[in-house]
Amino acid sequence: MEFSHIPVLRDETINSLNINPDGIYVDGTLGGAGHSMEILKRLSPKGQLICFDQDIEAIESSSKKLNDYRPGTIFIHSNFEYMPEKLSEHGIVRVDGIMLDLGVSSHQLDVPERGFSYRFDAPLDMRMDNRVQRTAADIVNDESVETLTKIIKDYGEEKYVRKIAYNIDLARQKKRIETTFELNDIIRKSMPAKSLATGGHPSKRTFQALRIALNDELARLEGVTPKMIDLLNDKGRLSIITFHSLEDRIVKNAFRTAQDPCTCPSNFPVCVCGKKSKGKVITKKAILPSEEELEYNSRAKSAKLRVFERVIDN
């Protein structure tokens, strides 16, 4: 199956990068190459595109697509967490723009054996990078009830978290929970009938929480966002699409700190901490999908785009 993905906020993201045709640009989440293709179309022969993805299926499928359009793109099989080191290996110290789309790709959701979706009966996998040994099934079966509760509460914001964690523990004492549908059944039995009748799919929040925890998504994002800002040339931009309130908070706080890093008490007449601004937040409010986009791509519903521009004081 071809690695496909409808790019969320495509035009808004590409426009936000303010692309210099001769510049160097990084797509930290290649996926189905929807955003990368649009970047490539705007680059001159002097321009350079570098694409990261920890999913080898994305690299294999999308590299062919982009190379068929125009050879020369650099593909790096790695999480964007290691962007500074990986770019340095290619002799790249500064770039003119970086983008991240933190959503799960349509391919990952629609291929049953990847185990991301509660819609298919499949092994409970959810690994973004299949070189990693640990799966979502290992979290479900091996973590303590307390840890499971924290994961589902913090990353899924699930109302019935305690009952779900309790029932998972009861089930795994009888046999190991191996599949998505086995987990679905446990989650469904943990919810009152009224919630099942009026809400969305009962497993949505728990599956999201397990995926975030397994792939260490929030810690990686928090750690690398300031480093990506440091990679930018003057007037270079970092554009990040989030799909979860915790992701958005990390990006918003990182951008705010980069714009105003001063740690002096508010009553100090002048700054003495010596911390200088790295640039400015372009998006005072997050950019949201249009009604038109939501009509043809419901997966864009929770997407938010935030943009930061580097300003280097010479």
Side-chain angles (χ1 to χ4, degrees), residues 253-266:
N253 289 341
F255 285 4
R256 183 189 294 131
T257 299
Q259 177 176 269
D260 183 14
C262 179
T263 55
C264 295
S266 58

Side-chain angles (χ1 to χ4, degrees), residues 273-300:
C273 71
K275 295 181 180 179
K276 294 184 178 181
S277 173
K278 294 181 179 180
K280 59 184 179 181
V281 178
I282 299 300
T283 46
K284 291 184 179 180
K285 290 185 177 180
I287 298 172
L288 306 178
S290 65
E291 291 298 325
E292 181 183 3
E293 178 171 2
L294 292 174
E295 285 180 8
Y296 69 80
N297 186 13
S298 61
R299 288 173 178 169

Side-chain angles (χ1 to χ4, degrees), residues 123-238:
L124 197 55
D125 194 320
M126 299 193 195
R127 290 173 297 168
M128 295 283 192
D129 186 343
N130 60 16
R131 293 173 296 184
V132 175
Q133 295 299 311
R134 195 181 192 215
T135 68
D138 293 322
I139 294 179
V140 168
N141 289 284
D142 300 339
E143 294 291 355
S144 67
V145 173
E146 291 75 17
T147 299
L148 275 177
T149 301
K150 182 173 175 55
I151 288 171
I152 299 170
K153 179 182 178 182
D154 290 352
Y155 301 156
E157 299 174 318
E158 171 56 64
K159 183 177 180 180
Y160 305 104
V161 55
R162 295 193 182 280
K163 188 68 173 177
I164 291 171
Y166 174 78
N167 284 339
I168 285 174
D169 190 46
L170 286 181
R172 69 188 184 182
Q173 290 180 36
K174 298 175 182 177
K175 67 176 290 292
R176 187 174 173 85
I177 302 165
E178 298 282 4
T179 71
T180 54
F181 275 15
E182 286 175 350
L183 183 56
N184 275 349
D185 288 342
I186 295 167
I187 294 169
R188 190 176 295 276
K189 291 173 183 175
S190 304
M191 294 185 172
K194 184 178 180 180
S195 176
L196 294 174
T198 58
H201 196 287
S203 295
K204 181 177 181 179
R205 292 182 177 87
T206 298
F207 272 58
Q208 171 185 276
L210 291 172
R211 189 204 80 227
I212 290 173
L214 176 67
N215 296 287
D216 200 20
E217 295 175 25
L218 298 181
R220 285 174 160 174
L221 177 64
E222 188 168 24
V224 79
T225 300
K227 296 178 183 177
M228 289 191 293
I229 290 172
D230 289 339
L231 286 170
L232 295 172
N233 282 319
D234 188 37
K235 305 298 183 184
R237 292 195 174 177
L238 171 59

